Amino acid sequence: MLKKLNDFLAGLPMTIVAGAFLLLDLVPHLMEEFGGTSVRLSFLPFDPAGATIVISGIPLLYLAVWRIIHNPGISKISSALLICIAMFAAIAIGDLFAAGEVVFIMAIGALLEEATTNRAKKGLKKLISLAPTKGRRLKDGKEEMIPAEEIRQGDLLRILPGETIPVDGTILSGETSVDQSIMTGESLPVDKSVGEEVFCGTINRFGSIDISATKVGENSSLQKLIRMVQDAENKQAPMQRIADRAASWLVPVALLIAVLAYVFSGNIVTAVTVLVVFCPCALVLATPTAIMAAIGQATKHGVIIKSGEALEKMGKVDIIAFDKTGTLTYGRLDVSDIISFDENVSERELLALAASAEARSEHPLGKAIVAYAAAEGVTLTEAEDFKMTAGKGILAEVSGRRLICGNEKFLVENEASIGQKVQSALEQLRTQGKASILVADGRKCIGVIALADVLRPEAKDMVSRLADMDTRTVLLTGDHQKTADYFAKQVGISGVRAELLPEEKVQNIEKLQKENHTVCMIGDGVNDAPALKTADVSVAMGSMGSDIAVDAAEVALMSDDISKIPYLKRLSNATVRTIKASITLSMCINFVAIVLSLMEVLTPTTGALVHNAGSCFVVLIAALLYDRKFE
């Protein structure tokens, strides 16, 4: 009940009401202080500042008491405790305006901080929703659909095309292509045959396969992925306010000075004034206001920052780890090479034959070839006797030619010869990280069509600019080593770690952190979520990245423009400098105000106004961040 009341009073609507009451009390107090005339609002049966104290003071008192009870050691002493002491001291001498002012400023600070650090944690729920709920078990020669949690190690399962694999397993019969993007981030389905492993949560695209369950329930790959995100989420400590870190010495110093002021002056008002001006309200406002301005600045540039802590840490980052697919590349396939091995077949004719044969194919490589041919204005011919072998290739008759399109193994199985010239071309394409479709006419291989992921044009310049800022870059990807090496060389990344599962990406990041590096991870896929959560700072590709990756990250690039990474680093540095400048200014104002209080120049009311002016200066300094140019 008390918690609900506290949350209600600390909310934005009631804080606005508290501010309105305080404003009603401001004019009469100014007239009393500077005009010498006592003025009160006759239409109210109570002092308006008293309402502000109740509305904003109760949540502050609740927070101070909660920290005394629950926080360990010196952290029991907080800025909330100091302001509660000042509030009660001002109430004791009858200066309700001073008491109301300090608690209202703290309420504003709490709302600002909450606005900059709160973010919806929907990613984990979405990740859990990917877990398969049922599986098709083969028992005594019969198929039965059973809940995924009832599948046991060693069970024989059948996975049909389009179905999600419910557990980790080994293929016993059948061949297929599996979409493993949830686990590895690979843009292409991976061909699988007997004896190879498949993972829970991945999707069987084409052929029907029978598997033996090897890892089930909590031991499956997807459940491990979910647990890693949960563990990393729990490790993230909330940003501790600077005022609370300083409170361990602010509270005793403030009390000591106030007591000494009373002992030497004999004036309790002087002691209360010291407590009021000593309140770290400007100090409390310094961080959230600068962060809000920086978040607004970043939003204008299409960068969504969900954590104030991320801004602070980004300036300390010395290593940035990139995923490949969808991050450094667009994550889409395009035809990159058309090589004819027959002098009587032109490249355009080879494309027309392959696209005609692949027109009825459901494989992503075949679809990409057909789409490219359409974009090039190539006229296709209706194929006959079309036959597809999952994970290998297709057979079709086009204009009287018996065409075979697929991998080396498929061509050999269909008695097509592959000479040294073809082998050399394939090896060259592999070193460039490209996928290849061989095209044979009868028993003769007449050409190859290569496809590759498309590199983002801004990637190379971005890596170069980061290097100029003394920031190392590494590539962490689930793709094959040769593919990773090729793309890394294209953009200038020297550190390459390929063929990584999600847990191996996490291990690589943790290893870098143990070497005293501050690591930023940039990714876009479900498989990147644990690594994003583990890294000190995480950035997701917002427009085309998965919702899970975006929710797991602290920063999202809504336009998928990775050239914004250097901008983000510069903005972070400027924000940290602004916070430090604001803290320095607030401490100087507090020092001057304390001296004036000891000289009895300030009263609790005028002290509260000076103290309020310091808070306004902090807000103005932070606001300058919003329009600053960083490009």
Side-chain angles (χ1 to χ4, degrees):
M1 187 65 168
L2 184 60
K3 178 71 166 60
K4 289 183 179 179
L5 174 64
N6 177 75
D7 292 342
F8 171 70
L9 293 176
L12 179 60
M14 290 307 294
T15 302
I16 292 173
V17 172
F21 277 119
L22 190 65
L23 189 61
L24 282 175
D25 207 35
L26 175 61
V27 175
H29 264 81
L30 288 176
M31 294 181 67
E32 286 182 23
E33 286 292 329
F34 302 109
T37 305
S38 178
V39 179
R40 286 294 164 200
L41 300 175
S42 57
F43 61 88
L44 287 176
F46 56 87
D47 191 318
T52 302
I53 293 170
V54 172
I55 295 171
S56 297
I58 288 177
L60 191 67
L61 181 61
Y62 177 90
L63 179 62
V65 172
W66 191 93
R67 287 177 175 173
I68 290 172
I69 294 172
H70 297 283
N71 281 11
I74 197 69
S75 60
K76 292 178 182 293
I77 301 173
S78 64
S79 57
L81 178 61
L82 175 55
I83 293 172
C84 284
I85 293 171
M87 176 185 72
F88 284 120
I91 292 171
I93 65 169
D95 197 331
L96 298 186
F97 177 80
E101 189 271 344
V102 293
V103 295
F104 176 69
I105 292 294
M106 282 297 291
I108 292 295
L111 285 175
L112 288 174
E113 186 174 23
E114 183 180 13
T116 60
T117 57
N118 276 1
R119 64 181 185 268
K121 296 180 181 179
K122 298 176 183 177
L124 189 58
K125 291 181 181 178
K126 290 176 183 175
L127 186 57
I128 292 172
S129 72
L130 295 176
T133 57
K134 292 184 178 181
R136 181 180 284 97
R137 184 170 64 186
L138 300 179
K139 191 173 183 180
D140 300 327
K142 296 181 180 179
E143 292 184 10
E144 55 177 346
M145 292 298 293
I146 62 171
E149 58 268 20
E150 292 183 13
I151 298 174
R152 298 290 178 262
Q153 187 172 348
D155 280 352
L156 180 62
L157 305 174
R158 176 160 293 168
I159 318 296
L160 301 181
E163 290 185 342
T164 301
I165 299 172
V167 295
D168 290 8
T170 302
I171 298 177
L172 298 180
S173 65
E175 294 175 331
T176 187
S177 294
V178 178
D179 180 352
Q180 297 188 153
S181 58
I182 186 175
M183 299 301 298
T184 66
E186 290 175 281
S187 54
L188 293 173
V190 178
D191 296 336
K192 299 278 187 176
S193 58
V194 174
E196 294 188 272
E197 284 187 309
V198 291
F199 302 107
C200 176
T202 58
I203 301 170
N204 180 27
R205 285 299 184 195
F206 304 110
S208 174
I209 54 174
D210 292 346
I211 69 170
S212 173
T214 55
K215 295 179 181 177
V216 300
E218 293 299 312
N219 294 321
S220 71
S221 300
L222 183 61
Q223 290 300 327
K224 286 181 179 178
L225 189 67
I226 292 170
R227 280 203 305 277
M228 281 189 288
V229 175
Q230 286 175 323
D231 292 343
E233 178 72 44
N234 293 334
K235 289 177 186 176
Q236 292 292 330
M239 184 173 64
Q240 187 180 20
R241 289 194 300 208
I242 295 171
D244 286 335
R245 294 202 296 264
S248 58
W249 61 268
L250 277 176
V251 173
V253 169
L255 291 175
L256 178 62
I257 294 175
V259 169
L260 292 175
Y262 176 67
V263 169
F264 286 103
S265 69
N267 187 349
I268 188 65
V269 174
T270 301
V272 173
T273 304
V274 169
L275 288 174
V276 170
V277 299
F278 222 117
C279 287
C281 294
L283 197 62
V284 169
L285 288 172
T287 298
T289 51
I291 288 171
M292 283 198 74
I295 288 174
Q297 152 83 237
T299 301
K300 290 193 298 181
H301 290 79
V303 181
I304 306 301
I305 301 172
K306 300 184 285 181
S307 165
E309 191 174 15
L311 265 176
E312 183 180 355
K313 287 184 176 179
M314 190 67 194
K316 302 174 184 176
V317 165
D318 58 350
I319 292 182
I320 297 182
F322 290 92
D323 174 48
K324 181 189 78 69
T325 307
T327 304
L328 292 177
T329 67
Y330 285 109
R332 68 169 187 261
L333 291 172
D334 202 1
V335 172
S336 58
D337 302 84
I338 302 174
I339 304 172
S340 175
F341 302 127
D342 187 333
E343 60 184 16
N344 295 318
V345 179
S346 68
E347 291 182 0
R348 189 174 181 85
E349 186 180 358
L350 178 64
L351 175 62
L353 289 171
S356 297
E358 294 280 5
R360 292 162 60 184
S361 172
E362 291 297 316
H363 198 283
L365 294 181
K367 286 184 174 182
I369 291 172
V370 173
Y372 182 79
E376 292 293 309
V378 173
T379 302
L380 303 188
T381 304
E382 184 72 24
E384 298 177 353
D385 295 330
F386 176 87
K387 181 181 178 182
M388 177 176 177
T389 302
K392 291 185 177 181
I394 60 118
L395 294 169
E397 188 171 316
V398 177
S399 301
R401 297 184 175 193
R402 179 178 175 269
L403 296 181
I404 310 166
C405 301
N407 57 29
E408 295 170 79
K409 183 178 179 181
F410 188 61
L411 264 67
V412 171
E413 286 178 358
N414 286 275
E415 302 179 347
S417 62
I418 297 177
Q420 185 58 43
K421 186 178 180 181
V422 176
Q423 291 284 4
S424 298
L426 286 177
E427 185 59 30
Q428 178 66 25
L429 292 171
R430 287 192 191 103
T431 61
Q432 296 174 358
K434 297 174 181 177
S436 301
I437 296 290
L438 292 169
V439 182
D441 181 359
R443 296 187 177 185
K444 181 182 180 181
C445 181
I446 60 174
V448 61
I449 297 178
L451 300 97
D453 202 348
V454 182
L455 184 69
R456 294 181 186 273
E458 66 271 20
K460 185 174 182 179
D461 179 64
M462 179 270 300
V463 170
S464 176
R465 287 160 65 194
L466 287 173
D468 292 339
M469 300 168 71
D470 296 323
T471 304
R472 278 177 53 199
T473 51
V474 297
L475 182 62
L476 303 180
T477 178
D479 272 4
H480 293 295
Q481 187 70 49
K482 287 185 178 180
T483 302
D485 288 339
Y486 174 75
F487 280 102
K489 185 178 180 181
Q490 293 291 101
V491 298
I493 294 177
S494 57
V496 182
R497 291 154 199 183
E499 301 179 25
L500 302 177
L501 291 173
E503 60 264 31
E504 292 172 324
K505 288 187 179 182
V506 169
Q507 290 165 7
N508 274 275
I509 289 175
E510 288 176 340
K511 182 180 178 182
L512 291 170
Q513 289 171 330
K514 288 176 182 177
E515 295 170 357
N516 295 319
H517 292 292
T518 303
V519 183
C520 172
M521 175 69 192
I522 303 176
D524 77 310
V526 173
N527 62 296
D528 296 320
L532 289 169
K533 280 293 184 184
T534 303
D536 298 288
V537 185
S538 50
V539 180
M541 310 300 281
S543 68
M544 68 175 292
S546 76
D547 289 342
I548 292 167
V550 172
D551 286 336
E554 296 163 301
V555 181
L557 304 179
M558 298 315 294
S559 61
D560 288 347
D561 184 359
I562 55 176
S563 69
K564 297 297 182 184
I565 299 301
Y567 157 79
L568 177 63
K569 203 166 188 325
R570 289 195 298 272
L571 175 64
S572 172
N573 292 336
T575 303
V576 172
R577 286 195 299 268
T578 298
I579 291 171
K580 289 179 178 178
S582 296
I583 290 171
T584 302
L585 176 64
S586 67
M587 296 298 284
C588 290
I589 291 173
N590 275 13
F591 177 77
V592 172
I594 290 167
V595 172
L596 293 176
S597 299
L598 294 173
M599 295 170 62
E600 299 187 0
V601 174
L602 296 179
T603 65
T605 298
T606 53
L609 292 173
V610 170
H611 162 273
N612 203 2
S615 300
C616 291
F617 278 128
V618 165
V619 173
L620 288 173
I621 291 172
L624 295 176
L625 267 177
Y626 185 76
D627 290 317
R628 193 179 301 180
K629 302 295 182 184
F630 290 96
E631 295 294 343

